[in-house]
Amino acid sequence: MTILENPLVGTDLGLTGLSGVPTADGAQKAKDYTSDQEVRWCPGCGDYVILATVRGFLAELGLKRENLMFVSGIGCSSRFPYYLEAYGIHSIHGRAPAIATGLAVTRPDLSVWVVTGDGDALSIGGNHLIHALRRNVNMTILLFNNRIYGLTKGQYSPTSEPGKITKSTPMGSIDHPFNTLSVALGAEATFAGRALDSDRAGLTEVLRAAAEHRGTSFVEILQDCPIFNDGSFDALRRENAESHLIRLRHGEPIRFGADGEFAVVRDGFGLKTVRADTVADSEIVVHDAYTDHPEYAYALSRLSDQDLTRVPIGIFRSVSRPTYDDGVRAQLDAAADNHPVKENSLQQLLTGRETWTVG
């Protein structure tokens, strides 16, 4: 991957997403990140597995807990900050990326995380999500996707499949759902990944890469809602799950299936899946997460379908681009250098050249 020069900051992008964030003095354990709050999700909710995985991952990350900030919106997923022994904000419906942007800009010593759901992020929060992605703010966004509204008791969401019968669509949804990875990549996400709640090893791998990425990292986590959308991702957990999961590994040919019997090949401007024994090895696509061509990652995202016949998971894209927060801080520093403010200069501020006398 080419390290690009940041014209706003004047330094290269060799920094990671964790650069400048203080580390803990000693080894930590998952229990160190467990708060005293009672976890109040429904029995069997996929959020439990995600919480346990994140606690363990944070211990491996080794950051000071007071330099971790989790910001959530509204929804079942947004209770997440209560259950972590770190700083957190349970914020406003759909606005978590905006609040997280302010934190990332003003506090470069923080590792900033956004926890959101498919309804919170893609409905009322859609604008905030895409602008955080295009700005490339140094934060990690975890989108829990259960394809339903859980907290408000079972309405269809922006990711529900067509024909979905819910309390708000008794005759079946007629909406066409979002493909979350396509939305993120269309908004120029510099890091985009997907994981399954029950795949702790795969989820940890994606989380680690997301945390180390400098810029906005977007991670969709497929998770079950046992009350209002039970079994929505069962096809990805059964014995033949490997026939449905396309595991992406950088630098390796994209093959899947229990014995690698399926493969991904180019198909015009996109990609498609075929039986591996019907094509030459040279035709099988070798995954490149670091390519500067976003259309490749977008084509991968289009392999996903609503009936879960094919679902790519892993890291789709990871590239370097100047970050919004680095740029803002550089401009503030430049302004201070060019226009030094004198001590006790309130009068200077009030009567400076940016004021007018109104008769």
Side-chain angles (χ1 to χ4, degrees), residues 51-87:
L51 177 63
T53 303
V54 169
R55 284 172 174 167
F57 160 73
L58 290 176
E60 296 176 16
L61 208 56
L63 301 177
K64 284 190 174 182
R65 284 174 292 171
E66 56 266 37
N67 291 89
L68 283 167
M69 173 58 77
F70 282 77
V71 185
S72 65
I74 297 297
C76 295
S77 63
S78 296
R79 300 186 61 81
F80 211 81
Y82 292 108
Y83 309 138
L84 287 174
E85 188 62 23
Y87 281 108

Side-chain angles (χ1 to χ4, degrees), residues 149-162:
Y149 276 99
L151 187 68
T152 50
K153 307 299 185 286
Q155 299 83 7
Y156 81 112
S157 87
T159 59
S160 296
E161 63 271 28

Side-chain angles (χ1 to χ4, degrees), residues 10-336:
T11 58
D12 67 33
L13 291 178
L15 301 174
T16 72
L18 302 176
S19 295
V21 183
T23 55
D25 296 331
Q28 296 175 309
K29 299 180 181 179
K31 67 178 182 180
D32 295 327
Y33 293 90
T34 303
S35 76
D36 60 358
Q37 298 297 302
E38 178 188 359
V39 181
R40 301 183 65 183
W41 286 315
C42 301
C45 177
D47 289 357
Y48 284 99
V49 181
I50 301 172
L51 177 63
T53 303
V54 169
R55 284 172 174 167
F57 160 73
L58 290 176
E60 296 176 16
L61 208 56
L63 301 177
K64 284 190 174 182
R65 284 174 292 171
E66 56 266 37
N67 291 89
L68 283 167
M69 173 58 77
F70 282 77
V71 185
S72 65
I74 297 297
C76 295
S77 63
S78 296
R79 300 186 61 81
F80 211 81
Y82 292 108
Y83 309 138
L84 287 174
E85 188 62 23
Y87 281 108
I89 298 175
H90 191 173
S91 72
I92 309 169
H93 203 183
R95 274 69 175 181
I99 295 171
T101 296
L103 287 163
V105 169
T106 57
R107 289 288 303 272
D109 61 323
L110 297 181
S111 177
V112 181
W113 298 68
V114 169
V115 181
T116 184
D118 46 303
D120 184 56
L122 294 170
S123 187
I124 192 171
N127 246 13
H128 293 286
L129 175 68
I130 61 173
H131 291 302
L133 291 168
R134 75 173 177 88
R135 285 173 173 151
N136 199 34
V137 185
N138 191 33
M139 68 172 77
T140 300
I141 299 175
L142 307 182
L143 189 154
F144 298 6
N145 182 9
N146 56 20
R147 306 203 292 186
I148 201 75
Y149 276 99
L151 187 68
T152 50
K153 307 299 185 286
Q155 299 83 7
Y156 81 112
S157 87
T159 59
S160 296
E161 63 271 28
K164 184 73 175 179
I165 295 176
T166 72
K167 291 179 178 179
S168 55
T169 53
M171 298 179 66
S173 170
I174 57 175
D175 282 10
H176 185 77
F178 275 132
N179 179 316
T180 54
L181 266 296
S182 296
V183 171
L185 292 163
E188 302 287 347
T190 54
F191 183 101
R194 176 188 286 141
L196 184 64
D197 58 359
S198 56
D199 179 14
R200 293 188 65 165
L203 176 56
T204 300
E205 180 181 347
V206 173
L207 288 176
R208 183 178 293 107
E212 292 175 350
H213 175 76
R214 192 164 190 83
T216 306
S217 298
F218 177 86
V219 179
E220 177 192 25
I221 305 174
L222 307 179
Q223 53 98 205
D224 194 38
C225 174
I227 304 302
F228 297 110
N229 202 20
D230 191 27
S232 54
F233 296 109
D234 278 358
L236 307 181
R237 311 180 203 276
R238 295 176 180 142
E239 292 182 2
N240 65 340
E242 293 304 317
S243 297
H244 302 287
L245 288 170
I246 305 175
R247 299 184 184 275
L248 304 174
R249 298 180 177 88
H250 176 71
E252 297 184 12
I254 307 179
R255 301 180 67 124
F256 63 102
D259 300 308
E261 63 269 28
F262 302 105
V264 173
V265 299
R266 300 193 180 279
D267 180 36
F269 293 109
L271 302 171
K272 68 177 181 179
T273 60
V274 297
R275 287 200 61 88
D277 57 8
T278 64
V279 297
D281 288 347
S282 59
E283 295 181 65
I284 299 175
V285 172
V286 176
H287 181 48
D288 184 1
Y290 301 146
T291 178
D292 286 332
H293 299 289
E295 60 271 19
Y296 164 70
Y298 186 85
L300 277 176
S301 75
R302 306 310 295 173
L303 290 174
S304 304
D305 51 28
Q306 285 295 312
D307 61 6
L308 307 181
T309 304
R310 301 286 185 260
V311 179
I313 61 172
I315 300 168
F316 287 62
R317 187 181 194 226
S318 180
V319 298
S320 292
R321 180 158 56 82
T323 67
Y324 178 82
D325 44 308
D326 284 340
V328 170
R329 288 191 293 270
Q331 288 187 342
L332 290 174
D333 291 342

